[in-house]
Amino acid sequence: MAIHSFSQTNPISHPLVTELNYYPEQGMLVAFPTHYDVIYFENDSSQLTINMKTILNNIGYLLDTYKETYLIITLHTSGDLAYDRLYRVVDYIAMQFKIEQERIQIMLTSQEETKHYKQYEKNWKNSTELIMPKTIIVTYDPALGVY
């Protein structure tokens, strides 16, 4: 098992990670289909294309179907264009599928993470990663009686 650190290019070392073969009594393990996609904006543009909307529609459908999951949207650039791109993606999914924006996490990566990503993605300046985790642990709050 490796947990990736976004502040360094190496996975977090084993002594910092404890893997449990169980989850807490007050927790519930929920499994979802893992989903990973990358969409590509045109140079110096934040407009969503038909191809991008097709990918976002698939993700929106998964978020609508699996109410407990969430989406992480990652960009490897910064500046006004990066923020505009992030918020266009978030707004599209949230508005088209009535997904609460709290279930959509946005992230601009560190310079170190971007340096690592550049090695694998030629069009990194225009790419946006869309990640849905495979499993999450939902905890139970006995005071409120809710998960």
Side-chain angles (χ1 to χ4, degrees):
M1 177 172 130
I3 298 177
H4 191 75
S5 168
F6 288 97
S7 64
Q8 54 184 308
T9 56
N10 300 321
I12 296 173
S13 62
H14 185 279
L16 298 176
V17 178
T18 303
E19 184 174 350
L20 301 176
N21 294 324
Y22 66 93
Y23 52 94
E25 183 179 312
Q26 25 335 28
M28 176 174 61
L29 188 64
V30 181
F32 307 101
T34 301
H35 191 86
Y36 175 86
D37 253 310
V38 180
I39 58 174
Y40 297 93
F41 286 92
E42 296 293 325
N43 288 332
D44 300 320
S45 173
S46 61
Q47 296 299 315
L48 298 175
T49 65
I50 298 296
N51 290 341
M52 295 163 79
K53 288 181 181 180
T54 300
I55 292 169
L56 295 177
N57 288 342
N58 291 335
I59 290 171
Y61 171 77
L62 289 171
L63 287 168
D64 192 40
T65 303
Y66 301 98
K67 305 285 187 200
E68 296 86 5
T69 194
Y70 57 93
L71 175 67
I72 302 167
I73 304 171
T74 305
L75 244 88
H76 295 275
T77 60
S78 60
D80 291 342
L81 182 59
Y83 289 110
D84 195 29
R85 288 175 173 178
L86 282 172
Y87 287 110
R88 283 195 189 251
V89 172
V90 170
D91 286 344
Y92 181 83
I93 292 172
M95 295 178 75
Q96 292 295 317
F97 294 91
K98 297 180 176 43
I99 303 298
E100 303 86 359
Q101 290 191 0
E102 295 80 23
R103 292 177 54 204
I104 304 171
Q105 300 175 10
I106 57 177
M107 183 170 58
L108 293 173
T109 60
S110 68
Q111 289 179 346
E112 293 85 16
E113 179 70 18
T114 298
K115 184 178 177 182
H116 178 71
Y117 186 69
K118 285 180 188 180
Q119 297 173 18
Y120 303 101
E121 178 59 60
K122 291 179 185 175
N123 194 10
W124 66 274
K125 286 185 179 180
N126 293 319
S127 68
T128 301
E129 293 179 281
L130 307 162
I131 307 162
M132 290 179 66
K134 183 174 182 173
T135 58
I136 62 171
I137 295 177
V138 179
T139 57
Y140 180 74
D141 184 340
L144 296 175
V146 295
Y147 282 94

